[in-house]
């Protein structure tokens, strides 16, 4: 009986490590993509790149982000909570990017980011459930996201000094 509890505890530690590693690698992928664009790149362009990197990372069946998603959806709530800190760090990156967009006038200020970010990330995270490589591409999925969701929150860039 004690041995079974020990094995269960070891498995729990391993699953939490896989979850956190998947989220951290996803965040690293997105951060690297944004760094390549540079901080002077318009927020709208950085949002496009963040979405593209997230989608491609989740659709890569060899990647940690895809493994995270396949494991995460089957876990009981108590285990999902163990990856909350890593998930919150990732969400914070999106909050920061969107808040920059509000400051630059590129993102609609009336958008409640506390609602939008979790809604948006849940949508992005569910793509592997319905994605069919025989009928669509990652770029095609991103095009739909850009034309619908992002277009709904982005504003025309403000006019600069004449």
């Amino acid at each position: 009986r004690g041995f079974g509890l020990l094995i269960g505890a070891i498995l729990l530690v391993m699953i939490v490590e896989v979850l956190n590693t998947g989220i951290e690698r996803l965040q690293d992928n997105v951060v690297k993509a944004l760094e390549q664009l540079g901080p002077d790149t318009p927020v709208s362009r950085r949002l496009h790149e963040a979405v593209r990197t997230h989608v491609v990372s989740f659709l890569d069946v060899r990647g940690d982000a895809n493994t995270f998603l396949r494991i995460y959806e089957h876990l009981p709530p108590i285990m999902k909570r163990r990856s909350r800190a890593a998930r919150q760090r990732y969400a914070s990156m999106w909050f920061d990017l969107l808040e920059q967009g509000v400051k630059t006038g590129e993102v609609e200020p009336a958008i409640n980011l506390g609602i939008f970010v979790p809604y948006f990330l849940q949508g992005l995270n569910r793509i592997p459930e319905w994605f069919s490589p025989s009928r669509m591409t990652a770029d095609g999925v991103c095009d739909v996201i850009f034309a619908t969701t992002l277009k709904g929150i982005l504003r025309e860039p403000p006019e600069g000094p004449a």
Side-chain angles (χ1 to χ4, degrees):
R1 181 178 172 141
F3 186 68
L5 289 175
L6 178 61
I7 290 175
I10 291 169
L11 283 174
L12 175 62
V13 169
M14 289 172 58
I15 289 170
V16 169
E17 187 62 29
V18 168
L19 290 174
N20 288 332
T21 299
I23 297 166
E24 289 164 5
R25 293 242 176 100
L26 174 63
Q27 184 166 354
D28 288 346
N29 290 345
V30 174
V31 166
K32 285 177 189 171
L34 295 177
E35 286 174 350
Q36 287 180 350
L37 292 176
D40 295 331
T41 302
V43 170
S44 57
R45 175 70 187 106
R46 288 187 279 155
L47 277 169
H48 279 81
E49 189 59 27
V51 167
R52 191 193 67 71
T53 302
H54 183 108
V55 169
V56 169
S57 294
F58 263 89
L59 293 179
D60 181 0
V61 295
R62 299 161 301 174
D64 293 321
N66 186 280
T67 301
F68 158 79
L69 182 63
R70 285 183 286 141
I71 292 171
Y72 185 80
E73 68 184 50
H74 299 289
L75 294 176
I78 193 165
M79 289 186 72
K80 289 180 179 180
R81 285 192 288 274
R82 297 194 182 247
S83 67
R84 183 175 290 162
R87 288 182 290 117
Q88 287 175 333
R89 282 191 298 276
Y90 185 64
S92 290
M93 180 195 68
W94 287 88
F95 276 106
D96 292 346
L97 185 56
L98 289 161
E99 287 167 354
Q100 289 173 29
V102 170
K103 288 178 186 169
T104 63
E106 293 176 75
V107 172
E108 177 58 50
I111 300 294
N112 180 331
L113 296 180
I115 295 170
F116 179 77
V117 171
Y119 156 78
F120 188 61
L121 289 177
Q122 281 295 324
L124 292 179
N125 293 346
R126 294 293 175 216
I127 291 170
E129 290 178 15
W130 50 262
F131 180 80
S132 173
S134 65
R135 296 183 330 203
M136 58 192 77
T137 65
D139 287 339
V141 170
C142 290
D143 289 345
V144 170
I145 294 167
F146 302 152
T148 57
T149 308
L150 288 184
K151 188 175 182 180
I153 67 163
L154 293 175
R155 300 170 75 188
E156 293 296 317
E159 295 293 323

